[in-house]
Amino acid sequence: MIWQQYQPTLLALSIVLLSGCASNINSQQREQAPNNVPQQWQQKTSAPVLHVQQQWLTQLQNPQLNKLVEQALKNNQQLLQSSYDVAIQKQQLIVSGAALWPTLDLSARTSRSKNNRPISYNNASSVSLNLGYEVDLWGKLSDSNRQANLNYLAQQARFEQAKQQLVADVVKGWFDVVTAKQLLDLYKRREANALQNLDIIESGYRQGLNEALDVYLARNELNNERSRIATQQASLLTTARVLERLLGDYPKGIISANNDLPVINTDIPLGLPSELITRKPTLRANWYQLLASDANLAYAHKQRFPSLNLTASLSDTTDRVSDLFSPSSLAWSLLGSISAPIFNGGRLKANEEIARLNSQKQEQQYLQTLYDAFSDVENAITLQQSLKAQYTSTLEAQENALAAEQLSFEQYQSGLVSYTTVLDAQGRSFDAQSSLISIKNQLIANRVNLHFALGGDFANTSTELQSNSNEN
């Protein structure tokens, strides 16, 4: 009698205490930025401390490249898969949110049976309307819905990151094709030059002015140039196929590029390291994923608490279908039930511990991604300064090498130097010209990598993301 008298009070008190335990699991506050994030980038640079530039693709002023980017965003299979992942996660959010609403089910049944002793026929028809609702007493269902919402935001950020990565790859792939084409043109010019030199040397040999060794060396040089051409032609086709796959096309290797490589060696605004955390999509995705793991931990913790379910039903059973829903035969019921786990072999506790460990693992993954992002920016800044110095030196070296190549051949024709001196000068000239082409491409690729590492977008990110999400 005493227990029955104080049972409602004790139940209410237990609910309050458990509610306090449940709220503690959500009280954990996370800092998105670690305490050791520097105020400025470590590598000294003359770049202004301004907001990172958006729409960096327009700075290249290449209409053909813009069309290729549009084609890649439309047809790239990997990006399309990522867009479907966003759409799937959006539906998963709807599924999770449905648990917060009541469920209403309608069922109907009709049957006919025969008895042989004595022979008789029985008809039965029934219809029932069932309403079920789980009271979100501890916020468990809300935590599940919050987790699904954060997973959806994370997937959206990953899709945005995939778009930026694809555009960066297309731009670099395009200039790789341009570079391969320029190197092929260089090799062909050197082949023509080697063929012309061979004609001059063979003519001099026939006149008794040159030795046979010079003829053999000239022929060897011509064969070397032709070998380089064959290798570079295969490299050009491979590079073109890589770009075509990024565009979502069949790898035919037919993309051609006659453009020149622009010289990009100017500084760009770098912003502050702390701004990278909220600007870069991959960091936002990992942050949302970390918060989702916290919500999952809260859900796993509250699984150990009692559940309060309310059910209501309205039913009718008659011999004839036409008599269904007769007011005189309708039956209804209303039921409230509380269920609490008592013994489950430690399953719920283990699930909570798994969720806790996953949350800690996700925290370390977020920190790793964050510091890797800082490292990418620092390395790109360092490489940019190094490439600028290399470009200046290589440009001057090319001018000197071209002059030395021409002078050495003139001196050879005058009998002042041997042909090996000419070959050495030609090799230095070739190295300088090919290195200059390569450094131009590296400057472009590093600029694209720096924009990508800084989280600068090629276009208006938020607008395009929303439009793509709505289409999905």
Side-chain angles (χ1 to χ4, degrees), residues 273-288:
S274 57
E275 297 174 349
L276 184 67
I277 298 173
T278 56
R279 185 176 58 245
K280 194 172 178 63
T282 185
L283 295 180
R284 295 203 308 270
N286 277 269
W287 176 250
Y288 290 141

Side-chain angles (χ1 to χ4, degrees), residues 141-153:
L141 301 179
S142 298
D143 289 330
S144 178
N145 186 55
R146 180 170 177 266
Q147 179 188 3
N149 186 58
L150 290 168
N151 286 333
Y152 174 61
L153 294 176

Side-chain angles (χ1 to χ4, degrees), residues 245-442:
R245 286 302 301 121
L246 291 173
L247 301 179
D249 286 341
Y250 183 88
K252 300 177 181 178
I254 61 175
I255 286 186
S256 60
N258 296 319
N259 303 62
D260 293 329
L261 286 172
V263 179
I264 302 180
N265 56 5
T266 56
D267 293 327
I268 61 173
L270 301 176
L272 300 176
S274 57
E275 297 174 349
L276 184 67
I277 298 173
T278 56
R279 185 176 58 245
K280 194 172 178 63
T282 185
L283 295 180
R284 295 203 308 270
N286 277 269
W287 176 250
Y288 290 141
Q289 206 65 56
L290 176 57
L291 297 180
S293 67
D294 289 341
N296 183 52
L297 173 58
Y299 176 80
H301 177 70
K302 295 171 184 177
Q303 283 286 83
R304 306 170 66 180
F305 297 162
S307 299
L308 177 60
N309 292 276
L310 302 177
T311 58
S313 64
L314 182 64
S315 61
D316 190 8
T317 302
T318 65
D319 295 337
R320 293 183 301 177
V321 177
S322 59
D323 293 336
L324 288 176
F325 299 106
S326 175
S328 60
S329 60
L330 286 177
W332 62 269
S333 66
L334 181 63
L335 175 64
S337 63
I338 296 179
S339 60
I342 297 177
F343 177 77
N344 47 55
R347 176 175 57 85
L348 296 180
K349 182 178 180 181
N351 286 337
E352 180 181 352
E353 185 62 21
I354 291 173
R356 189 184 310 279
L357 294 173
N358 282 330
S359 179
Q360 294 174 354
K361 174 185 175 182
Q362 189 65 39
E363 180 179 5
Q364 296 305 314
Q365 182 176 347
Y366 170 73
L367 292 175
Q368 178 183 354
T369 306
L370 178 61
Y371 286 116
D372 285 346
F374 289 145
S375 178
D376 291 340
V377 176
E378 296 284 4
N379 290 336
I381 296 173
T382 301
L383 184 58
Q384 181 186 31
Q385 297 177 349
S386 173
L387 289 173
K388 288 169 60 178
Q390 291 180 51
Y391 174 77
T392 302
S393 301
T394 306
L395 182 61
E396 184 177 354
Q398 176 186 253
E399 296 174 356
N400 295 330
L402 289 172
E405 179 184 9
Q406 182 179 0
L407 180 61
S408 66
F409 193 77
E410 293 174 355
Q411 290 180 346
Y412 168 74
Q413 289 181 309
S414 301
L416 298 178
V417 297
S418 64
Y419 193 67
T420 55
T421 302
V422 176
L423 293 177
D424 181 66
Q426 289 179 347
R428 294 177 185 274
S429 174
F430 168 76
D431 291 340
Q433 293 178 73
S434 59
S435 295
L436 188 64
I437 294 174
S438 177
I439 290 175
K440 285 182 179 180
N441 187 36
Q442 292 179 51

